[in-house]
Amino acid sequence: MPPAPVAGDSTRRLVLIDFDGTLAARGVAPRAHAEAVLAARAAGHTVLLATGRAASIVHPDVAALFDGMITAAGARIQLGTEVLRDEEFPAPLGRRAVEVLLEQEVPFVLEAHEALYATAATAELVRSRPQPSAQELSAGIGGGPRDIAEAVQVPADLTRESFAKISLWSSPVPLEDLAARIGPEIGALPGAIMQHRTASGELHLAGIDKADGLLLACEHLGLEQSATVAIGDGLNDLGMMRIAGTGVAVQGAPEQLLAAADTVVPGPAELGVVTAFQSLGLI
């Protein structure tokens, strides 16, 4: 469990760290980043992983570094063994989403706490992605793309599965249009634009945000919002970046994120999390 609040302690911080592109590159976190997280916790700070990934694709060794996790971009919030929030697509909305995506022949995965669900063709596509070398894996924490490949399941009927978020790519239809076809309850977060004018990104429940995790964790721990640090590199980090006491963006992040940040650090290859922790006096 995270440390109990200490009355009058004005130095303790709540730190939220994004995974892909911030803590880790290609799903592998440098050991120096892992050591920095553990050192900050040993100093009395609470450190949470705040990722767009579902918990099913967070490597156990990565999860073990933290006091808790905000997963599925805010849909599930857990501190220690206590789950503060766990939201999934309502069943009728989930069925509608799957039907629309199948109709449009979009490769997608349904992200749930327990597993990823996909069609057989999409599962094969995910499993065929290049894997990091043994040397890359031994140099850090995490399984790289293998963490995703091993979590994929192919159910008989995708419309019956429960899930928190949808990731998709190579869509011939813009994400915003897909969200509109599914319903007003859906938000879209575009990712990189792929070749041949296809799109990638995420579909999520409107209103779900990593910022919710920051606020709930502050309330649970008895900390002021000003005592928080948010570190990230993507648009799904923007909400928590805007409300954190201190926002730290990774070099190369979208302009909106850089504008919201108080400081900018290098990416994982140059140990940006270590730089951030040292400059903020967390370690």
Side-chain angles (χ1 to χ4, degrees):
M1 287 292 292
V6 178
D9 182 359
S10 60
T11 62
R12 183 177 169 216
R13 303 284 192 93
L14 168 65
V15 185
L16 283 67
I17 308 176
D18 171 59
F19 185 65
D20 292 292
T22 302
L23 184 76
R26 293 193 69 216
V28 180
R31 292 193 183 277
H33 277 183
E35 291 165 1
V37 170
L38 294 175
R41 292 179 61 195
H45 305 293
T46 298
V47 188
L48 305 182
L49 184 67
T51 177
R53 293 186 177 214
S56 56
I57 51 176
V58 176
H59 193 282
D61 290 347
V62 172
L65 298 173
F66 294 89
D67 291 297
M69 297 196 299
I70 299 164
T71 52
R76 182 180 173 90
I77 301 161
Q78 182 170 347
L79 270 71
T81 59
E82 186 168 357
V83 177
L84 306 183
R85 176 184 197 176
D86 191 2
E87 293 199 28
E88 296 182 326
F89 277 51
L93 183 64
R95 286 194 297 272
R96 170 68 180 161
V98 171
E99 289 167 354
V100 168
L101 295 175
L102 290 174
E103 179 182 277
Q104 297 300 316
E105 299 183 345
V106 176
F108 67 93
V109 292
L110 308 177
E111 298 192 20
H113 179 66
E114 303 82 7
L116 303 181
Y117 304 112
T119 64
T122 300
E124 179 59 29
L125 181 63
V126 170
R127 292 166 181 158
S128 67
R129 288 180 172 177
Q131 300 296 314
S133 67
Q135 183 176 3
E136 287 179 281
L137 293 175
S138 66
I141 308 296
R146 185 177 63 195
D147 291 335
I148 299 174
E150 292 179 349
V152 176
Q153 298 182 14
V154 181
D157 185 356
L158 281 171
T159 66
R160 299 176 64 88
E161 298 300 333
S162 299
F163 58 93
K165 186 169 69 77
I166 306 170
S167 289
L168 53 88
W169 55 97
S170 300
S171 172
V173 181
L175 263 67
E176 295 80 0
D177 291 355
L178 290 171
R181 294 185 192 196
I182 296 167
E185 307 93 332
I186 300 298
L189 185 66
I193 301 300
M194 302 181 72
Q195 295 180 353
H196 308 301
R197 303 193 179 193
T198 60
S200 64
E202 302 173 354
L203 298 176
H204 57 86
L205 291 173
I208 294 291
D209 198 287
K210 291 183 184 182
D212 304 332
L214 185 149
L215 295 174
L216 281 173
C218 279
E219 180 181 353
H220 185 79
L221 297 169
L223 289 175
E224 296 293 330
Q225 201 170 315
S226 59
T228 62
V229 177
I231 310 175
D233 78 314
L235 289 176
N236 67 3
D237 300 311
L238 185 59
M240 70 174 185
M241 188 81 66
R242 283 174 168 166
I243 68 169
T246 303
V248 181
V250 174
Q251 290 173 0
E255 287 300 322
Q256 301 99 305
L257 206 69
L258 295 173
D262 298 292
T263 188
V264 178
V265 297
E270 298 176 77
L271 306 181
V273 168
V274 175
T275 300
F277 277 30
Q278 290 175 338
S279 66
L280 296 171
L282 297 170
I283 56 176

